[in-house]
Amino acid sequence: MERRKVLRLFLVSSVAAMVAPKLAFGQKPFDQKLDFSSLDFGPDFKWGVATAAYQIEGAHNLDGKSASIWDTFSHEKGNIKTGENGDIACDFYHSYEKDLDLLKSLNMTVFRFSISWSRVLPNGVGLPNQKGLDFYHRVIDACLERGIEPWVTLYHWDLPQVLQDKGGWMNRESVAWFSEYAELVTKTYALKVKNWMVFNEPSAFTALGYLIGYHAPGLKGFKNYLPTVHHVCLCQAEGGRIIRRNVDDANIGTTFSCSHVDVLKSEKRDGKSAERWDVLLNRLFVEAALGLGYPIDSFPILKKMQKYIQPGDIANLKFDFDFIGVQNYTREVVKGMGIIPVMKGLEIKPVKRNVEEVTEMGWEVYPEGIYKIIKQFAAYEGVKKIIVTENGCAFPDDLVNGQVHDSKRIDYYQRYLKQVLRAKKEGVNIGGYFSWTLLDNFEWSEGYKPRFGLVYVDFKTQKRYLKDSALWFREFLADKK
Ligand code: FCB
């Protein structure tokens, strides 16, 4: 079962699906005429892809890297649907040059990637691993040589296992550990990297990893979740301050997984659940960063966080980010009583709903959702700029004679981009759009089955093949050159 469904089962409702029609055989997917072009997004708009260390690098124990929670979790039987792990993944550790050539060939100029904490600090803190630091120097240099901007995420879910052994994010010392790691990384790459993101999707890794146990480190319950949320929020702001101190002219953001929330039937019946779901999914972390505190009134269980909050903490949650990374894939539809399972930790049965199109992840294709969530985030006074730091989709892909005719993926991108442009035209300051993702890769608890890449990866041979969607992006962005 995919991750949103598991979380939803735990909390609220679910979807049933019908699949969208295919393009006729032989029809070129980009024959379709678009009523917009990449130029409409403006000359300074950034186009790129997003990736994450554990999902692509492989080399899980090479050159001094220690295990992260994802190494441990994926090696434990039963945690990954397909029984796979990220030991080799896309072998990006060795193939980064060729992969960046591919990215460049798509006319994209941003490569968003994350640093593996356990590669550069195998003990979590203390002595840095020079070979690990050198790897990211090589990746960054390879970007710069190709005219690609490196955009670095400090943390995309792979906490060193040695730190998890001491309680991980549940331990307040995590603020000191993370600060030490952030100091090291930002000082090391300050001259070469100007674009930084502190976290990838804190609402996802805290809830999936510490509330429902579907992701690493596989822990369940509010007693794990609530201290984790608070410590991650402290680190979110502290990370921003550390980047500001160490990197001249830095462009600093952090990213949020966010989805527009709709009620199943009526506001009156389902509204309360929708409000609470909105808190968990969309509001909790951004509001902390904006200095609005925790939305306790909208979700009373958060009162229990009080226990972990020390004097001065609330003021320290705030950081003035230069941009907010919006990551959107779908929307959520919720029904009433969702909060009962949240409070008691019980599961409820999914509600059937007719959904026209879903991706392989079971996520509804709902292009207007990205428009709505961008507007929701832009409505906060302190949000100065939005970058879509992830958006994309998994569909089953067939490699035939070296080609992948992924027309559904092209259709998805075109419709979502149109909605991003709609928000931009209405005046939202949107500075860029990064596709998730360059390569098919290790999709966490789903293994390698869902393919999100613009580039098809044959995991047996590690060969890469540009899908039609990659070719479409290349053509769409050609005007920009
Ligand atoms: C996002 C994650 C990313 C990837 C995509 C499909 O939530 O940030 O690592 O798994 O979903």
Side-chain angles (χ1 to χ4, degrees):
M1 201 178 305
E2 50 81 19
R3 65 177 118 125
R4 275 171 190 277
K5 230 182 241 167
V6 178
L7 188 54
R8 231 185 276 128
L9 263 179
F10 182 81
L11 296 167
V12 273
S13 70
S14 181
V15 295
M18 275 159 38
V19 173
K22 274 191 180 152
L23 281 184
F25 180 74
Q27 186 182 348
K28 269 226 289 166
F30 34 93
D31 279 349
Q32 280 161 264
K33 286 274 168 283
L34 281 185
D35 55 3
F36 62 93
S37 86
S38 58
L39 297 175
D40 295 328
F41 290 80
D44 301 325
F45 198 81
K46 308 273 182 195
W47 296 94
V49 294
T51 65
Y54 188 70
Q55 294 181 275
I56 61 169
E57 285 178 1
H60 70 115
N61 59 2
L62 274 195
D63 294 339
K65 179 183 170 296
S66 70
S68 79
I69 52 174
W70 270 97
D71 289 302
T72 309
F73 187 76
S74 64
H75 280 249
E76 276 163 13
K77 227 175 148 213
N79 287 339
I80 310 299
K81 231 157 114 179
T82 55
E84 296 163 320
N85 58 54
D87 288 4
I88 299 173
C90 310
D91 198 27
F92 180 79
Y93 193 75
H94 297 109
S95 68
Y96 62 94
E97 288 180 297
K98 284 190 185 143
D99 291 333
L100 291 168
D101 284 342
L102 287 177
L103 176 62
K104 187 170 170 59
S105 84
L106 305 186
N107 296 320
M108 292 185 168
T109 55
V110 170
F111 182 58
R112 175 181 169 227
F113 64 98
S114 73
I115 295 201
S116 155
W117 186 341
S118 64
R119 201 181 282 294
V120 298
L121 276 173
N123 299 318
V125 289
L127 196 65
N129 175 27
Q130 194 54 47
K131 283 189 173 168
L133 291 171
D134 288 348
F135 167 63
Y136 295 107
H137 268 304
R138 292 197 295 278
V139 171
I140 293 164
D141 290 344
C143 285
L144 297 174
E145 281 158 18
R146 288 163 178 76
I148 291 171
E149 281 182 3
W151 285 54
V152 172
T153 312
L154 288 177
Y155 184 79
H156 199 131
W157 304 1
D158 46 354
L159 190 75
Q161 181 61 44
V162 283
L163 298 181
Q164 185 55 46
D165 295 343
K166 295 181 186 160
W169 294 109
M170 283 135 55
N171 185 337
R172 190 173 168 106
E173 272 189 65
S174 56
V175 183
W177 303 333
F178 182 73
S179 299
E180 186 175 333
Y181 162 65
E183 288 284 354
L184 170 71
V185 169
T186 52
K187 280 185 179 151
T188 304
Y189 306 114
L191 296 177
K192 298 176 179 174
V193 176
K194 296 296 166 193
N195 299 287
W196 294 86
M197 287 141 288
V198 178
F199 280 126
N200 183 73
E201 300 189 348
S203 67
F205 77 78
T206 55
L208 294 166
Y210 294 82
L211 177 62
I212 64 165
Y214 189 59
H215 274 189
L219 299 173
K220 291 183 186 157
F222 279 95
K223 67 177 191 309
N224 303 314
Y225 175 71
L226 294 175
T228 293
V229 167
H230 182 53
H231 301 143
V232 166
C233 282
L234 285 169
C235 289
Q236 179 172 259
E238 192 55 27
R241 285 187 282 271
I242 290 169
I243 301 168
R244 188 73 82 215
R245 258 201 323 270
N246 292 338
V247 185
D248 291 341
D249 306 319
N251 181 33
I252 308 172
T254 192
T255 78
F256 298 109
S257 89
C258 41
S259 301
H260 171 71
V261 181
D262 274 324
V263 294
L264 183 67
K265 285 199 179 113
S266 72
E267 198 55 52
K268 202 162 157 240
R269 236 194 67 185
D270 307 324
K272 208 70 200 143
S273 297
E275 188 184 352
R276 289 171 184 191
W277 188 238
D278 194 34
V279 166
L280 277 189
L281 222 54
N282 301 318
R283 294 178 48 195
L284 187 52
F285 291 88
V286 71
E287 292 188 6
L290 291 170
L292 301 172
Y294 294 124
I296 291 172
D297 291 348
S298 303
F299 200 166
I301 198 165
L302 296 176
K303 260 192 219 136
K304 293 195 173 172
M305 268 164 82
Q306 212 55 51
K307 196 156 128 198
Y308 310 101
I309 300 176
Q310 295 184 6
D313 277 5
I314 293 296
N316 280 335
L317 297 176
K318 185 170 188 287
F319 179 74
D320 193 16
F321 284 102
D322 300 316
F323 72 91
I324 290 300
V326 160
Q327 315 203 146
N328 173 259
Y329 292 86
T330 186
R331 70 164 161 177
E332 299 298 329
V333 177
V334 303
K335 75 175 197 107
M337 305 306 287
I339 195 54
I340 303 293
V342 171
M343 300 298 287
K344 295 195 174 157
L346 298 170
E347 291 193 353
I348 55 163
K349 287 221 156 64
V351 184
K352 288 224 165 143
R353 188 165 72 80
N354 271 342
V355 174
E356 272 181 28
E357 301 162 78
V358 287
T359 68
E360 188 165 16
M361 296 291 280
W363 298 347
E364 181 188 4
V365 177
Y366 183 67
E368 208 180 357
I370 199 165
Y371 163 83
K372 290 182 174 167
I373 201 69
I374 286 173
K375 295 285 273 197
Q376 180 174 334
F377 272 66
Y380 287 114
E381 209 176 302
V383 172
K384 297 187 225 160
K385 188 186 215 171
I386 285 176
I387 308 242
V388 177
T389 39
E390 281 184 25
N391 172 238
C393 52
F395 288 112
D397 289 320
D398 293 322
L399 178 68
V400 181
N401 298 329
Q403 298 183 325
V404 180
H405 299 306
D406 58 337
S407 52
K408 281 190 202 163
R409 188 172 288 105
I410 296 174
D411 185 58
Y412 179 101
Y413 276 121
Q414 293 181 342
R415 287 156 66 198
Y416 272 72
L417 278 170
K418 191 169 172 165
Q419 295 291 333
V420 174
L421 185 58
R422 178 179 166 203
K424 191 165 169 64
K425 280 187 173 156
E426 287 175 17
V428 181
N429 185 12
I430 309 176
Y433 175 93
F434 308 159
S435 140
W436 183 270
T437 179
L438 183 64
L439 307 167
D440 293 337
N441 62 42
F442 181 75
E443 179 46 41
W444 309 114
S445 297
E446 326 308 313
Y448 293 93
K449 190 157 177 278
R451 291 179 173 271
F452 274 92
L454 297 173
V455 177
Y456 185 96
V457 177
D458 178 340
F459 291 104
K460 286 202 189 88
T461 60
Q462 286 296 340
K463 272 199 172 163
R464 277 65 165 146
Y465 302 86
L466 295 184
K467 299 180 192 175
D468 283 354
S469 54
L471 302 176
W472 176 77
F473 262 112
R474 173 188 283 175
E475 198 166 294
F476 179 66
L477 298 176
D479 301 342
K480 296 271 305 162
K481 291 212 298 180

